[in-house]
């Protein structure tokens, strides 16, 4: 007679027993979930019992020796196929826990994951293992895989993930960073993963270079930029950005794809275009120079423009030109940087028009640190003769914004080493302010050529300091060698170098030189 046996986790413990099946001994462990076996659905179990061991007694029968049972032992002959099913389920439960242990989850964490997503219990081990291997093929290993499974157990079974994995691994050659994919799977509902490949291919269709597509995906929020946007919305975004060098901007600043077209991109870009007087190309130039300008709120940009209008007295055209030259002016703090810098220029006697010209020529002035940069440069300028709060000082300070304090100090030291005084340096810098920012090594070569090869005195630089701005080989040496054969060695430095290239080339040359 076939008996029905119900085995529960608490009562059915085979930690020290063995089941012999197909001539192989299998050591068992405590069951983690109840398993019910009914060889005869109508039979009623008479009493709970614990099983000590089981012995195979024929090809298809197993004899169980009960620890406690009122019925004769012969009543506990069970058909092998039922026991095979029980052992299979039991075995798979143990193997499922083994898979989670391999990922790094302990028993408590595994139970939490299974409780959060019960479907995992009924999912085949082969499918779960295949998904784990697929995730590992994308570089999601170790702690990253553990964290992903803890936070998002559905990653092991969601069918929507398979196309994403295949596309990233095969079409994109696995170049999307594992951390990006981990964030994508954790933050994105699986239903929004559908169409991921189609949307990425849309970017490629609109001429995002194949070699740049991984860079774009690695530097955007894939949930916002790709998954939660429809194909139509993505098309609209690309079409809107196109007149402003859109694809180049996206490649340079992929985070732009994170922004909402209607509430973020359109208002900001239209605002900048309005300042430009409707010049889409110039607006695109600003965006290309500093795509991050779109990360600032519209209110932030408006407040900077209002400040430039009210405190400096500039109009929209002038403000846009400053932004065109130096878009980072929008990122400068109004109170910590803009206001004190503009106030200094006003104290030096500059009016609105002067300040506009100054900021277009020396826009870094509003971004440099006062304590670590500008204060030291002001000290050098005052030492060589500039008076504080004068236009001359402001112009000189603007000229040295692009050089370091160390470079400026070396230039002044070089001039002094050639016998020039501070008054001479002051005089030269007023005529040609750029000399204070030139490379000291290049300056030394030109001054050495002037005094050694040309036989001139260094004092000849005072009326014509622009000599130090010309290229030594292409301009100074070439013209000197050509002219000295006709005009001798005492020609004017100004006349020698200031003459245009076209006019110099048409000047009558000596026959010996032409024949050469």
């Amino acid at each position: 007679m076939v008996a029905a046996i119900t085995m529960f986790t608490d009562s059915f413990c085979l930690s020290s027993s063995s089941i012999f099946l197909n001539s192989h001994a299998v050591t068992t462990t405590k069951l983690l979930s109840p398993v019910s076996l009914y060889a005869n659905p109508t039979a009623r179990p008479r009493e709970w019992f614990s099983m000590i061991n089981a012995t195979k007694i024929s090809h298809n029968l197993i004899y169980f020796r009960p620890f406690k049972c009122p019925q004769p032992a012969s009543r506990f002959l069970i058909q092998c196929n039922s026991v095979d099913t029980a052992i299979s389920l039991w075995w798979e439960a143990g193997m499922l826990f083994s898979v989670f242990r391999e990922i790094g989850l302990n028993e408590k964490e595994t139970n939490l994951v299974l409780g959060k997503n019960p479907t995992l219990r009924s999912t085949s081990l082969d499918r779960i293992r295949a998904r784990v291997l697929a995730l590992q093929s994308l570089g999601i290993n170790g702690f990253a895989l553990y964290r992903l499974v803890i936070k998002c157990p559905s990653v092991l079974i969601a069918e929507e993930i398979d196309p994403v994995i295949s596309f990233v691994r095969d079409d994109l050659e696995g170049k999307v960073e594992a951390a990006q994919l981990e964030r994508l799977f954790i933050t994105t509902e699986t239903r929004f993963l559908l169409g991921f490949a189609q949307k990425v291919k849309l970017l490629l269709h609109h001429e995002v270079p194949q070699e740049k597509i991984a860079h774009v995906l690695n530097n955007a929020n894939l949930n916002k930029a790709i998954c939660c946007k429809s194909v139509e919305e993505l098309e609209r975004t690309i079409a809107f950005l196109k007149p402003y060098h859109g694809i180049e901007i996206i490649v340079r600043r992929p985070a732009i794809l994170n922004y909402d077209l209607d509430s973020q991109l359109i208002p900001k870009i239209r605002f900048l275009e309005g300042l430009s007087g409707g010049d889409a190309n110039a607006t695109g130039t600003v965006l290309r120079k500093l795509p991050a300008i779109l990360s600032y709120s519209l209110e932030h940009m408006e407040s900077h423009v209002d400040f430039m209008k009210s405190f400096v007295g500039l109009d929209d055209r002038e403000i846009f030109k400053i932004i065109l030259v130096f878009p980072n002016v929008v990122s400068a703090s109004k109170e910590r940087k803009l206001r004190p810098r503009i106030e200094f220029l006003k104290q030096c006697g500059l009016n609105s028009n002067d300040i506009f010209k100054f900021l277009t020529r020396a826009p870094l002035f509003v971004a440099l640190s006062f304590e670590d940069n500008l204060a030291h440069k002001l000290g050098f300028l005052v030492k060589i003769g500039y008076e504080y709060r004068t236009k001359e000082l402001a112009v000189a300070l603007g000229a040295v914004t692009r050089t370091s304090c160390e470079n400026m100090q070396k230039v002044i030291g070089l001039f002094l080493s050639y016998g020039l005084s501070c008054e001479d340096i002051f005089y030269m810098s007023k005529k040609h302010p750029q000399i204070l920012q030139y490379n000291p090594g290049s300056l030394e070569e030109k001054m050495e050529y002037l005094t050694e090869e040309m036989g001139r005195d260094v004092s000849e630089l005072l009326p014509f300091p622009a000599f130090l701005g010309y290229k030594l080989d292409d301009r100074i040496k070439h013209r000197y060698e050509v002219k000295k054969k006709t005009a001798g060695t005492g020609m004017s430095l100004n006349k020698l170098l200031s003459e245009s290239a076209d006019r110099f080339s048409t000047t009558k040359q000596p026959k010996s030189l032409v024949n050469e």
Side-chain angles (χ1 to χ4, degrees), residues 174 196 268 314:
F196 179 84
K268 296 174 187 177
L314 305 179

Side-chain angles (χ1 to χ4, degrees), residues 269-403:
I269 293 177
R270 292 291 189 228
F271 175 74
L272 290 172
E273 191 172 5
L275 287 177
S276 74
D279 190 337
N281 188 57
T283 303
T285 301
V286 171
L287 297 177
R288 202 166 60 239
K289 282 185 175 182
L290 186 68
I293 197 171
L294 293 175
S295 65
Y296 294 100
S297 68
L298 180 59
E299 292 74 17
H300 177 90
M301 290 192 284
E302 288 174 338
S303 69
H304 271 62
V305 169
D306 290 342
F307 173 82
M308 299 294 277
K309 286 180 178 179
S310 61
F311 192 68
V312 188
L314 305 179
D315 59 28
D316 285 354
R317 181 191 61 81
E318 292 170 326
I319 295 170
F320 181 80
K321 189 167 183 180
I322 294 171
I323 294 174
L324 182 62
V325 172
F326 187 64
N328 287 94
V329 70
V330 174
S331 65
S333 167
K334 294 196 301 294
E335 298 305 320
R336 288 191 301 105
K337 294 269 180 96
L338 290 179
R339 187 179 296 278
R341 303 294 193 280
I342 300 302
E343 186 62 43
F344 170 81
L345 295 178
K346 287 182 176 182
Q347 291 174 1
C348 289
L350 277 64
N351 59 29
S352 295
N353 188 53
D354 295 330
I355 294 174
F356 164 69
K357 292 178 180 178
F358 180 93
L359 293 180
T360 53
R361 293 170 184 168
L364 280 176
F365 175 73
V366 300
L368 295 173
S369 165
F370 181 79
E371 293 79 8
D372 299 330
N373 193 296
L374 295 178
H376 296 289
K377 292 174 181 177
L378 279 171
F380 289 138
L381 293 173
V382 171
K383 283 182 180 179
I384 63 175
Y386 283 95
E387 293 184 25
Y388 193 62
R389 295 183 180 178
T390 61
K391 284 189 178 182
E392 290 175 343
L393 176 64
V395 171
L397 186 59
V400 296
T401 54
R402 295 183 181 276
T403 191

Side-chain angles (χ1 to χ4, degrees), residues 411 415 425 428-429 432-438 443 465-466 468-469:
V411 168
F415 287 144
I425 301 171
M428 287 193 301
S429 66
H432 192 71
Q434 296 92 323
I435 63 169
L436 295 176
Q437 67 175 358
Y438 289 151
L443 286 179
L468 298 172

Side-chain angles (χ1 to χ4, degrees), residues 394-414:
V395 171
L397 186 59
V400 296
T401 54
R402 295 183 181 276
T403 191
S404 67
C405 298
E406 293 76 13
N407 189 83
M408 187 177 173
Q409 186 175 17
K410 288 178 181 179
V411 168
I412 294 174
L414 177 65

Side-chain angles (χ1 to χ4, degrees), residues 133-150:
L133 290 174
L135 292 170
Q136 290 174 332
S137 73
L138 299 179
I140 304 177
N141 294 296
F143 183 71
L145 181 60
Y146 162 85
R147 181 173 52 210
L148 176 59
V149 171
I150 286 286

Side-chain angles (χ1 to χ4, degrees), residues 78-278:
I78 305 176
Q79 290 184 355
C80 249
N81 58 352
S82 299
V83 175
D84 288 343
T85 301
I87 293 173
S88 176
L89 292 172
W90 187 14
W91 180 257
E92 286 210 13
M95 291 302 294
L96 179 60
F97 274 73
S98 176
V99 170
F100 282 108
R101 279 198 302 273
E102 291 172 9
I103 295 174
L105 279 70
N106 58 34
E107 183 177 341
K108 181 179 179 181
E109 291 168 332
T110 300
N111 282 320
L112 288 174
V113 166
L114 294 176
K116 190 184 296 185
N117 199 319
T119 309
L120 283 166
R121 294 183 184 275
S122 58
T123 304
S124 73
L125 289 175
D126 288 341
R127 181 180 173 188
I128 293 176
R129 284 189 180 278
R131 177 61 59 78
V132 169
L133 290 174
L135 292 170
Q136 290 174 332
S137 73
L138 299 179
I140 304 177
N141 294 296
F143 183 71
L145 181 60
Y146 162 85
R147 181 173 52 210
L148 176 59
V149 171
I150 286 286
K151 292 183 177 180
C152 183
S154 62
V155 75
L156 295 175
I157 54 175
E159 295 180 356
E160 296 89 345
I161 289 177
D162 282 325
V164 177
I165 293 176
S166 299
F167 178 70
V168 171
R169 183 185 58 216
D170 302 332
D171 293 61
L172 301 182
E173 301 175 347
K175 292 181 180 179
V176 180
E177 296 172 358
Q180 270 291 79
L181 294 172
E182 182 191 349
R183 281 192 291 272
L184 171 66
F185 294 144
I186 289 175
T187 60
T188 308
E189 291 184 41
T190 53
R191 62 192 177 97
F192 289 119
L193 293 173
L194 295 173
F196 179 84
Q198 179 188 2
K199 295 169 188 176
V200 174
K201 288 178 180 178
L202 179 64
L203 294 175
L204 293 169
H205 174 73
H206 283 283
E207 301 181 350
V208 171
Q210 179 73 41
E211 64 274 14
K212 295 290 185 180
I213 192 64
H215 164 76
V216 171
L217 297 178
N218 285 328
N219 290 278
N221 183 320
L222 296 180
N223 182 33
K224 292 181 179 180
I226 304 294
C227 295
C228 289
K229 286 184 179 176
S230 65
V231 173
E232 293 74 19
E233 187 176 359
L234 207 52
E235 282 273 17
R236 285 183 60 226
T237 299
I238 295 172
F240 174 75
L241 292 173
K242 191 172 183 180
Y244 310 101
H245 314 283
I247 295 302
E248 182 181 349
I249 296 171
I250 289 172
V251 171
R252 290 197 60 194
R253 180 82 174 182
I256 284 175
L257 291 173
N258 301 343
Y259 305 141
D260 179 74
L261 176 62
D262 296 311
S263 64
Q264 294 177 303
L265 291 179
I266 290 178
K268 296 174 187 177
I269 293 177
R270 292 291 189 228
F271 175 74
L272 290 172
E273 191 172 5
L275 287 177
S276 74

Side-chain angles (χ1 to χ4, degrees), residues 479-499:
R479 291 197 174 194
Y480 177 70
E481 293 298 328
V482 170
K483 284 289 188 178
K484 75 177 181 179
K485 296 182 179 180
T486 56
T489 59
M491 68 195 80
S492 163
L493 294 181
N494 193 338
K495 186 174 181 181
L496 173 67
L497 298 174
S498 298
E499 193 174 64

